[in-house]
Amino acid sequence: MAKRGTKATRKFAASGQLTKKISARRKHQQIQRKVHKNKGARNKGRERAHVDAADAEVEDESAEERKSTKKGLKGMSVDDFLGASFLDEEVEKSDDEGSSPADDDQDDDGDDASFASVDQLEDDGAAHMLELSKLAEKDPEFYKYLQDHDRELLEFNMVADDDVDDTDDAGEPDEHQVPILTGKILRSWQKSLLETRSLRALRKLLVAFRSAVFMHEDDKVLAWTIDSPAVYDKLVKTALRYTPVVLGHHAPYKTLPSGRFKPPTQTQKLKTLQKLILSFFHNIIHLISQLSDPEMLKMAVTESTKILPYITSSRKTIKQYLKACLGLWSTADDSVRIATILAIHRLASALDESILDLVLKNTYQTLVKSSKNTSSHSLPSITFMKNSASEIFCLNHQAAYQHAFGFIRQLAIHLRNSMKLKTKESYKQVYNWQYVHAVDFWVPPDTKNEDLRLLIFPLVQVATGAIKLLSHSRSYPFHLHMIRSLIHLTKHTHTYTPLLPYLLPIFTTTLTSTKSKASTLRPLDFETTLRAPQQYLHTRVYAENLAQEAAFLTAEWLSVRVVHASIAFPDLVVPIVASLRRALKTAHGGPKVTATTKALVERIEESARWVAQRRTGVTFAPRDTAAVGLWEADLQLDDAPLIKYARVLRKTREKQRKLVEKARKGEDEILEE
């Protein structure tokens, strides 16, 4: 078999640079021929000899390359040739979506020899000493970290080059024995990184960081042994904190005024550093999956965002990082989750639109998966996820509309299938927590954007269709969830949504039910209830809960400005007042249900008279929409009776919620009925 060249030679040949080099030489020789031909016959013979010698040199290189390839293939068996293993030695393939060849960092590329070419980029460190003196102005966050943890590094003096070389040599591992990393070696790397932005020290630091990340895995060949917890902690923090600063010096990237970042310019130095950066980022992803300390997790996630501009070209790495962040976003502690959503927000700020699409799709899917089971314990977490995911979708309204349209269409398809099949399993496709949270999530938060306003009509159709799917009293909690989402839509988008047809059946059912019986069951929490249990049917406690919840939602909907400030408000409430008055005459639901409904009707009638009194002096006709709009915009609703009533109900519910939260935490609070 042919003798294999060094790794650098094989990579140079595999990258196609050898062929380009030969072609460049030949083009140069052709130009030289033309130049020498025009100079005259005096120097023609001498120049021709020079060109022929160059041609012979190029031909020798090409022949040697072909000969080496033929010898390499000659000794192969049929199985080896069909396995195409020789291709792997020449070309390192990227993943199917355009990731760079440096993605494969798991094949022991983390030792010193793999990144030795980084040392050739070392430059003079004298200029960096001046930069260190201005560190407080350029990077105050990193300067504060040094003041808190490594203050002695800020008290520096110019050292001779020999001293730096000695400290660097002290950090070189022995060839036959895995060395032990000490605090002295780590301190020398810190000093070189801080004073001279040394790439040699950065390489050694990241190689040691890899050893720390994979120290408990037996199948990895590591360059360092770490036997001290203090050194391990210091090494991880140093790698996370110092690496972005050094990379920012040697390969700075640009942050646009909009907050989006532009990857650094592809220079020869960055190309040499690229594999080292990708290896370090893969190690961070692995470290995130291993850590359990919230503070260390928060630091790892926060500092990793500063490396994102350097790895956006590797789609495989982006997917792995996004998956790790979304996992923490849905399960970690609050501080870590906040840091994670900021990291996802940073990733979505890349100029590459395909990365934004990837982030939006996976964020929504993670939210839906996490909302499968909803309880009083998980509801705050799901609410946080919906709010934070909404901020991600608001980064680009056009991309958000495209994803929202597709996902709302999926909800409509589930609803259509349930309406056609009408089976128990088909109903479960709609009557579940994921459907409820999905409808609530797609309520447009930005009322000024026209793209998102186009989602209002299909979303209302989906929500109202889900309410109409089942009209049994056990499904009323689901109806209330849909109505609550539609009230939020009415409030946020200032769009009138007719909800009376879906609220009146709940009132009439609770008022006219003649089978209500006393029970010792606890009142249902409708925020965490999707379907009423069988034992609650025809009980007085369930009827009272429904009446209170329906009255609150009715007051909330009527107190929204787009409804209550309408000049036609006295006419809008006529149907609900008439229907509730008629139901109250034959009410059998109990004294609490009757009292709750009467109080609501009285407040509605008072507000109708309040609006009618203020519109008596108008001089314009209903067709004068401009004058109507000005009148509605100038109307002050703070003193409206229904607004005050809704405010009292809101405070009462908030007080009750706090009592429930204290009782859940075991603070011995007694809940009054």
Side-chain angles (χ1 to χ4, degrees):
M1 299 224 17
K3 181 179 179 181
R4 297 178 62 184
T6 62
K7 186 174 182 180
T9 303
R10 287 186 284 112
K11 290 180 68 176
F12 181 75
S15 63
Q17 296 296 325
L18 178 61
T19 305
K20 294 181 180 179
K21 190 70 174 178
I22 294 174
S23 300
R25 285 189 180 185
R26 288 176 176 172
K27 290 181 180 179
H28 178 69
Q29 291 158 9
Q30 291 176 1
I31 296 174
Q32 289 295 326
R33 290 190 187 101
K34 294 180 181 180
V35 172
H36 296 318
K37 184 177 180 180
N38 295 331
K39 283 186 176 181
R42 185 180 59 181
N43 298 326
K44 185 175 182 180
R46 184 177 57 186
E47 297 298 337
R48 175 60 60 185
H50 175 73
V51 173
D52 291 341
D55 284 338
E57 181 181 353
V58 173
E59 293 297 335
D60 291 343
E61 291 181 359
S62 302
E64 183 179 354
E65 184 68 21
R66 291 194 298 268
K67 184 177 180 181
S68 176
T69 304
K70 290 181 179 179
K71 287 183 178 181
L73 298 177
K74 185 176 180 180
M76 289 186 179
S77 63
V78 176
D79 294 336
D80 293 337
F81 181 80
L82 294 178
S85 59
F86 62 93
L87 295 178
D88 296 334
E89 298 178 358
E90 298 177 358
V91 181
E92 296 178 9
K93 293 185 177 181
S94 60
D95 72 313
D96 57 348
E97 296 190 28
S99 60
S100 63
D103 277 344
D104 290 332
D105 64 307
Q106 305 299 329
D107 53 353
D108 292 337
D109 285 342
D111 52 9
D112 280 320
S114 300
F115 306 125
S117 58
V118 176
D119 295 349
Q120 301 175 4
L121 303 176
E122 201 71 43
D123 53 1
D124 185 17
H128 303 317
M129 299 297 293
L130 297 176
E131 183 179 353
L132 180 59
S133 61
K134 301 179 180 180
L135 185 61
E137 299 178 2
K138 293 186 176 181
D139 196 344
E141 181 183 356
F142 182 61
Y143 186 80
K144 185 177 183 302
Y145 172 79
L146 292 176
Q147 283 185 323
D148 296 339
H149 299 85
D150 298 309
R151 178 178 293 273
E152 62 276 8
L153 293 178
L154 295 175
E155 301 172 357
F156 60 90
N157 293 314
M158 288 294 292
V159 296
D161 293 340
D162 297 338
D163 296 338
V164 177
D165 293 339
D166 292 342
T167 57
D168 287 344
D169 294 338
E172 289 286 352
D174 186 63
E175 183 178 0
H176 304 288
Q177 183 180 3
V178 179
I180 298 176
L181 183 63
T182 62
K184 182 179 180 181
I185 298 176
L186 184 58
R187 181 67 61 180
S188 67
W189 295 343
Q190 289 178 326
K191 190 177 184 65
S192 298
L193 290 172
L194 187 60
E195 295 181 357
T196 65
R197 302 293 192 268
S198 171
L199 291 177
R200 183 185 295 110
L202 178 65
R203 172 181 64 84
K204 296 175 182 178
L205 175 66
L206 298 188
V207 168
F209 177 75
R210 182 178 185 274
S211 300
V213 171
F214 294 98
M215 63 184 301
H216 297 297
E217 299 188 16
D218 299 333
D219 58 338
K220 297 293 182 181
V221 179
L222 305 179
W224 292 92
T225 300
I226 303 173
D227 56 1
S228 172
V231 174
Y232 174 87
D233 184 72
K234 191 68 174 178
L235 171 63
V236 172
K237 291 182 178 179
T238 301
L240 293 176
R241 290 281 188 176
Y242 282 63
T243 303
V245 177
V246 178
L247 293 179
H249 170 79
H250 291 281
Y253 61 88
K254 185 177 181 180
T255 302
L256 303 180
S258 61
R260 309 185 72 177
F261 61 84
K262 184 178 181 180
T265 305
Q266 285 292 331
T267 61
Q268 187 60 39
K269 178 183 288 188
L270 182 59
K271 290 180 180 179
T272 307
L273 290 171
Q274 192 66 36
K275 192 170 184 179
L276 178 65
I277 297 172
L278 282 174
S279 176
F280 172 60
F281 203 81
H282 278 280
N283 294 337
I284 293 179
I285 296 174
H286 187 77
L287 178 68
I288 289 175
S289 64
Q290 301 294 323
L291 290 175
S292 58
D293 181 28
E295 290 299 325
M296 188 65 74
L297 262 176
K298 182 180 177 182
M299 175 184 289
V301 173
T302 303
E303 297 300 322
S304 64
T305 60
K306 302 175 183 178
I307 313 294
L308 287 177
Y310 302 97
I311 54 95
T312 52
S313 60
S314 174
R315 195 52 48 84
K316 180 180 178 181
T317 306
I318 290 294
K319 288 183 176 180
Q320 293 177 355
Y321 179 71
L322 180 60
K323 182 179 179 181
C325 288
L326 291 175
L328 293 177
W329 177 56
S330 59
T331 58
D333 294 340
D334 291 343
S335 60
V336 179
R337 298 176 73 187
I338 294 174
T340 304
I341 196 61
L342 293 177
I344 298 174
H345 189 284
R346 177 70 169 170
L347 181 60
S349 300
L351 289 179
D352 191 350
E353 297 295 338
S354 60
I355 296 180
L356 176 62
D357 292 335
L358 185 68
V359 170
L360 295 181
K361 179 181 178 181
N362 286 272
T363 300
Y364 175 75
Q365 291 178 347
T366 303
L367 170 63
V368 173
K369 291 178 182 178
S370 302
S371 61
K372 186 175 182 179
N373 298 316
T374 302
S375 63
S376 58
H377 301 277
S378 61
L379 184 59
S381 174
I382 296 174
T383 303
F384 168 79
M385 293 180 67
K386 288 193 291 187
N387 294 336
S388 55
S390 178
E391 295 180 1
I392 300 295
F393 274 84
C394 288
L395 289 175
N396 189 316
H397 293 138
Q398 186 176 2
Y401 170 78
Q402 295 175 357
H403 286 273
F405 182 84
F407 288 124
I408 293 177
R409 184 175 179 272
Q410 288 182 356
L411 298 177
I413 291 173
H414 286 305
L415 178 61
R416 183 189 61 183
N417 294 336
S418 298
M419 296 175 69
K420 286 184 176 181
L421 299 177
K422 295 182 179 181
T423 61
K424 185 177 181 179
E425 293 299 324
S426 64
Y427 290 148
K428 288 182 179 180
Q429 296 296 322
V430 175
Y431 279 73
N432 58 72
W433 280 114
Q434 291 176 318
Y435 200 94
V436 170
H437 290 297
V439 171
D440 186 65
F441 174 74
W442 291 123
V443 173
D446 192 344
T447 61
K448 298 180 181 179
N449 186 264
E450 294 298 328
D451 290 335
L452 297 182
R453 290 188 67 86
L454 296 176
L455 301 173
I456 296 176
F457 179 75
L459 187 63
V460 172
Q461 292 294 100
V462 167
T464 55
I467 295 175
K468 297 175 184 177
L469 186 61
L470 287 177
S471 58
H472 194 270
S473 60
R474 291 191 64 184
S475 62
Y476 282 162
F478 177 84
H479 295 184
L480 295 173
H481 283 292
M482 293 290 104
I483 292 172
R484 193 178 293 112
S485 297
L486 292 176
I487 292 175
H488 293 164
L489 184 142
T490 303
K491 185 181 300 183
H492 294 161
T493 63
H494 306 288
T495 304
Y496 176 78
T497 308
L499 297 181
L500 288 182
Y502 314 108
L503 288 167
L504 282 177
I506 301 177
F507 281 109
T508 56
T509 300
T510 56
L511 287 171
T512 60
S513 177
T514 58
K515 299 180 180 179
S516 297
K517 53 186 178 181
S519 175
T520 58
L521 295 172
R522 291 184 177 181
L524 281 177
D525 183 7
F526 286 110
E527 290 189 353
T528 57
T529 302
L530 190 64
R531 191 165 181 260
Q534 183 67 34
Q535 61 268 26
Y536 277 85
L537 294 181
H538 310 301
T539 59
R540 191 172 299 170
V541 63
Y542 184 52
E544 293 173 355
N545 275 19
L546 281 176
Q548 292 176 0
E549 189 70 19
F552 172 74
L553 293 180
T554 303
E556 281 285 302
W557 176 66
L558 292 176
S559 62
V560 176
R561 182 170 186 84
V562 70
V563 180
H564 200 295
S566 173
I567 198 171
F569 180 78
D571 309 307
L572 291 174
V573 298
V574 170
I576 188 172
V577 171
S579 299
L580 293 181
R581 286 292 185 187
R582 189 183 308 112
L584 284 172
K585 292 179 180 180
T586 58
H588 302 285
K592 288 188 177 181
V593 175
T594 303
T596 301
T597 308
K598 281 184 178 181
L600 176 64
V601 172
E602 291 173 358
R603 299 293 87 75
I604 294 175
E605 290 177 338
E606 291 176 5
S607 282
R609 291 192 295 268
W610 185 84
V611 175
Q613 182 181 2
R614 279 155 179 77
R615 75 176 184 182
T616 53
V618 299
T619 58
F620 50 84
R623 64 181 180 180
D624 191 356
T625 56
V628 170
L630 290 176
W631 185 89
E632 292 177 348
D634 295 337
L635 184 63
Q636 300 296 327
L637 298 177
D638 294 338
D639 297 331
L642 190 59
I643 299 296
K644 295 180 180 179
Y645 177 69
R647 192 181 300 123
V648 171
L649 291 180
R650 209 174 294 121
K651 290 181 179 179
T652 303
R653 289 171 63 90
E654 182 65 20
K655 181 180 179 181
Q656 186 72 10
R657 188 193 63 80
K658 290 181 179 180
L659 292 175
V660 172
E661 184 67 18
K662 290 181 179 180
R664 186 177 64 84
K665 294 180 179 180
E667 298 182 10
D668 298 330
E669 291 288 342
I670 300 177
L671 301 181
E672 298 179 358
E673 296 185 359

